[in-house]
């Protein structure tokens, strides 16, 4: 595609990498020693500037996967290289008739801004999903929530792992450009500042996504712990009721002559069997509920800050 004075070329190298690493550099008429890495598969994120031309490898989110696109730009041309179809390329070329970049550098910034928008949309969408899962957890916790949270935490880690190298390279590259080229035009300086701010905002949103996903997982763990505490309290109450009864049945079931000969009437059974069970239950409930739970509740209320009255306010 061509804009006034600008030629843009997209090269899809397919899924199978080429065995000749410098083939693309030779085909484009570039120095193989400087630009031989263009199109090389598994090339890490990087950014180079040489003789007025810029080349970089940028990460892109496409169909939930992190892919890398090689970008080379000069004064009047922009070349993008990738392996397999990438949706961002189609969106970028579709917007060119409306944006009309003036030169290769402006086209690079426009393309990189599209890369940042993709990461930002992914982070914002994941943040909304975290909020929805957390709200659903409070309405009714289910096992599917923990699976969704695990997927969201993996997505946050994927975004962070994919974008962090680019954020570091972009900050370093832009700072080097400002130091090495103090005579940059006002337009280039504005583009540098805008892109640097955008990188920082995207990084902050990805970090926020990681924090929110971690906090939501902690909330889920707290809900599970609270439910387990309720189950343990119910078991404790059941133990309080049945332990004295178990003790009495075990004691009176012993084969002693005194128990067998003297404790055989119905009145004795009522006084000792049921009476001791009721007394033991009352004492146990008093110790468990009144001396423990009520004491904790009273201490908690005493530690709450006093609310000033209307006259004091």
């Amino acid at each position: 595609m061509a804009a006034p004075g600008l030629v843009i070329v997209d090269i899809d190298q397919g899924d199978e990498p080429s065995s000749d690493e410098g083939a693309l550099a030779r085909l484009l008429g570039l120095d193989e020693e400087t630009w031989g890495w263009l199109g090389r598969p598994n090339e890490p994120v990087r950014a180079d500037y040489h003789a007025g031309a810029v080349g970089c490898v940028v990460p892109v989110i496409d169909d939930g996967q992190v892919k890398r696109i090689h970008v080379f730009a000069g004064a009047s041309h922009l070349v993008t290289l990738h392996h397999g179809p990438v949706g961002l390329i189609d969106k970028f070329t579709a917007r060119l008739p409306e944006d009309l970049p003036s030169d290769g550098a402006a086209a690079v910034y426009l393309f990189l801004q599209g890369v940042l928008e993709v990461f930002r949309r992914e982070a914002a969408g994941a943040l909304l999903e975290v909020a929805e899962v957390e709200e659903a957890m409070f309405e009714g916790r289910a096992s599917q929530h923990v699976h969704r949270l695990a997927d969201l935490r993996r997505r946050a880690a994927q975004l962070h792992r994919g974008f962090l190298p680019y954020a570091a390279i972009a900050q370093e590259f832009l700072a080097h450009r400002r130091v090495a080229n103090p005579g940059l035009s006002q337009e280039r300086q504005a583009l540098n500042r805008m892109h640097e701010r955008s990188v920082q905002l995207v990084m902050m949103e990805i970090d926020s996504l990681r924090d929110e996903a971690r906090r939501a997982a902690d909330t889920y763990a707290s809900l599970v712990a609270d439910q387990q505490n309720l189950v343990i309290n119910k078991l404790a109450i059941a133990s309080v009721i049945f332990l004295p009864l178990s003790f009495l049945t075990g004691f009176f079931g012993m084969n002693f002559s005194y128990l067998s000969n003297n404790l055989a009437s119905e009145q004795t059974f009522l006084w000792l069997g049921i009476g001791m069970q009721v007394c033991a239950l009352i004492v146990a409930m008093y110790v468990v509920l009144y001396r423990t739970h009520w004491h904790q509740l009273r201490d908690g209320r005493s530690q709450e800050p006093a609310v000033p009255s209307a006259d004091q306010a």
Side-chain angles (χ1 to χ4, degrees):
M1 297 188 66
L6 175 65
V7 176
I8 298 178
V9 180
D10 177 57
I11 301 176
D12 186 354
Q13 298 180 268
D15 297 330
E16 297 183 359
S18 176
S19 57
D20 191 354
E21 294 185 354
L24 280 174
R26 288 196 301 271
L27 291 175
L28 295 174
L30 303 175
D31 183 13
E32 294 185 32
E33 184 177 356
T34 304
W35 306 106
W37 53 267
L38 279 174
R40 186 163 55 194
N42 301 323
E43 183 70 18
V45 176
R46 61 183 299 172
D48 293 337
Y49 182 80
H50 181 73
V54 60
C56 55
V57 180
V58 296
V60 175
I61 297 292
D62 188 72
D63 291 335
Q65 297 180 352
V66 179
K67 299 181 180 180
R68 292 187 177 95
I69 298 179
H70 297 227
V71 181
F72 177 80
S76 59
H77 57 273
L78 172 68
V79 181
T80 57
L81 308 97
H82 52 92
H83 297 273
V86 179
L88 178 63
I89 300 294
D90 298 333
K91 296 179 181 179
F92 172 69
T93 53
R95 289 173 53 180
L96 281 175
E98 299 177 1
D99 297 328
L100 290 177
S102 58
D103 54 11
V108 169
Y109 279 107
L110 181 63
F111 179 79
L112 294 179
Q113 200 66 24
V115 172
L116 298 183
E117 290 176 0
V118 171
F119 275 97
R120 195 169 186 175
R121 282 196 299 268
E122 287 287 332
L127 273 172
L128 292 177
E129 288 189 34
V130 171
E132 292 175 359
V133 172
E134 193 170 9
E135 183 178 356
M137 282 191 309
F138 288 110
E139 294 179 356
R141 185 180 59 84
S143 59
Q144 61 184 3
H145 295 151
V146 69
H147 297 295
R148 289 185 63 187
L149 285 177
D151 292 338
L152 289 170
R153 293 190 68 176
R154 283 195 294 268
R155 190 187 306 179
Q158 181 189 36
L159 292 175
H160 185 267
R161 187 169 55 250
F163 189 76
L164 181 61
Y166 175 76
I169 292 295
Q171 297 289 343
E172 180 182 351
F173 180 76
L174 294 176
H176 177 74
R177 286 292 307 278
R178 287 194 297 267
V179 174
N181 299 278
L184 283 176
S185 63
Q186 295 294 329
E187 180 184 1
R188 291 292 180 269
Q189 293 181 13
L191 290 174
N192 285 351
R193 289 192 297 268
M194 180 189 69
H195 189 70
E196 191 171 1
R197 286 194 300 268
S198 299
V199 169
Q200 293 175 356
L201 289 175
V202 173
M203 197 67 218
M204 290 174 58
E205 291 192 5
I206 293 177
D207 290 337
S208 177
L209 171 61
R210 297 178 67 200
D211 295 338
E212 289 296 320
R214 189 182 300 111
R215 186 181 62 82
D218 294 339
T219 302
Y220 184 88
S222 299
L223 293 176
V224 173
D226 291 341
Q227 187 174 8
Q228 291 178 347
N229 290 334
L230 292 177
V231 173
I232 293 174
N233 288 337
K234 293 177 181 179
L235 292 176
I237 294 175
S239 301
V240 167
I241 296 174
F242 288 102
L243 277 178
L245 181 60
S246 301
F247 169 76
L248 292 175
T249 55
F251 178 77
F252 287 103
M254 295 180 182
N255 191 16
F256 291 111
S257 58
Y258 179 81
L259 296 177
S260 302
N261 299 329
N262 300 324
L263 303 180
S265 64
E266 182 178 355
Q267 184 177 5
T268 304
F269 169 75
L270 293 176
W271 279 104
L272 295 179
I274 299 180
M276 292 181 65
Q277 167 68 12
V278 172
C279 292
L281 182 60
I282 292 175
V283 171
M285 295 296 288
Y286 170 78
V287 173
V288 172
L289 297 180
Y290 181 78
R291 299 293 296 177
T292 304
H293 290 74
W294 183 84
H295 181 71
Q296 293 177 355
L297 181 61
R298 183 185 61 184
D299 293 343
R301 288 181 177 177
S302 64
Q303 293 177 0
E304 293 180 357
V307 179
S309 62
D311 297 336
Q312 293 177 352

